[in-house]
Amino acid sequence: MPHESSRGNSAADVRDFFTPRAADWDRRFPGDGPAYAAAVADLGLRPGDAVLDAGCGTGRALPALRAAAGPEGTVLGVDLTPAMLDAALREGRDGFAGLALADVARLPLRDGCLDAVFAAGLISHLSDPRENLRELARVVRPGGRLALFHPVGRAALAARHGRALTPDDLRAEPQLRPLLAGSGWRLESYTDEDTRFLALAVREAG
């Protein structure tokens, strides 16, 4: 998903932001493929696993997710913005996953049906981060994993946008750890470097 902010966080705001950008999204960020593949590797999928790419955008993570889950695994991609899913289809990424138009606030999935969730650039676009992360927890089995990923770190992203890095950023570890804990997740590892942001969490039991 994004290198930018949709500013507002309602579903309509997110669609309004991404719709005009969808057609050339991949061309704007052509070098991100290896970073996506490395983050998927760190998610630790096993052959046969069921994984969701939440806010899949144009589907750049889907080939790596399919390779990790194998032909017997289940790979799903959901996004709020039809134009982003259209771009994923044009790129042939429906060959790696089932794609659906859906809001992570109300996923059309049963409780505990997934082994993992991959979410690239998602957290800054959530309408209600605590409830939305709880919804992701609902569809993941206890012990399953969540990867919150971005191809660049918080400081590099802030610099790119000409803004200051603030401690109230949801992705800052002191903010993110309790947010996840209150949503059914335990933060397991946290990396925030110029070339990578990756927070890995485990679904708590109960």
Side-chain angles (χ1 to χ4, degrees):
M1 254 222 359
H3 284 250
E4 306 176 54
S5 171
S6 56
R7 296 173 182 84
N9 283 322
S10 74
D13 290 328
V14 172
R15 282 191 293 266
D16 288 348
F17 178 82
F18 284 109
T19 296
R21 293 167 170 81
D24 67 345
W25 190 260
D26 284 10
R27 289 192 295 276
R28 294 175 66 193
F29 307 111
D32 287 348
Y36 273 78
V40 169
D42 284 344
L43 182 55
L45 294 173
R46 297 164 300 185
D49 275 353
V51 59
L52 171 70
D53 187 349
C56 66
T58 62
R60 288 180 294 173
L62 297 177
L65 291 170
R66 171 55 68 191
E72 68 273 37
T74 300
V75 182
L76 305 171
V78 301
D79 202 273
L80 264 178
T81 305
M84 293 297 263
L85 292 173
D86 288 346
L89 290 170
R90 286 195 300 274
E91 294 295 328
R93 290 173 181 148
D94 55 326
F96 300 98
L99 298 176
L101 184 68
D103 189 340
V104 298
R106 295 174 301 278
L107 289 168
L109 298 169
R110 68 181 187 276
D111 294 359
C113 67
L114 300 175
D115 297 292
V117 172
F118 184 86
L122 179 70
I123 193 166
S124 60
H125 299 277
L126 297 176
S127 58
D128 186 337
R130 188 174 298 277
E131 287 304 313
N132 299 159
L133 288 167
R134 187 171 287 129
E135 173 68 354
L136 292 179
R138 179 187 68 79
V139 300
V140 174
R141 61 168 176 80
R145 290 163 66 81
L146 168 68
L148 299 175
F149 166 71
H150 202 288
V152 298
R154 295 169 55 244
L157 188 63
R160 179 180 295 170
H161 297 157
R163 56 177 171 76
L165 189 61
T166 60
D168 61 351
D169 180 349
L170 286 178
R171 291 168 297 179
E173 186 174 3
Q175 299 286 342
L176 186 60
R177 186 177 294 276
L179 175 62
L180 287 166
S183 305
W185 300 97
R186 181 182 77 254
L187 184 62
E188 189 176 59
S189 68
Y190 181 90
T191 304
D192 183 16
E193 303 167 344
D194 279 353
T195 58
R196 179 189 225 207
F197 176 90
L198 182 64
L200 293 172
V202 175
R203 172 72 166 95
E204 298 275 38

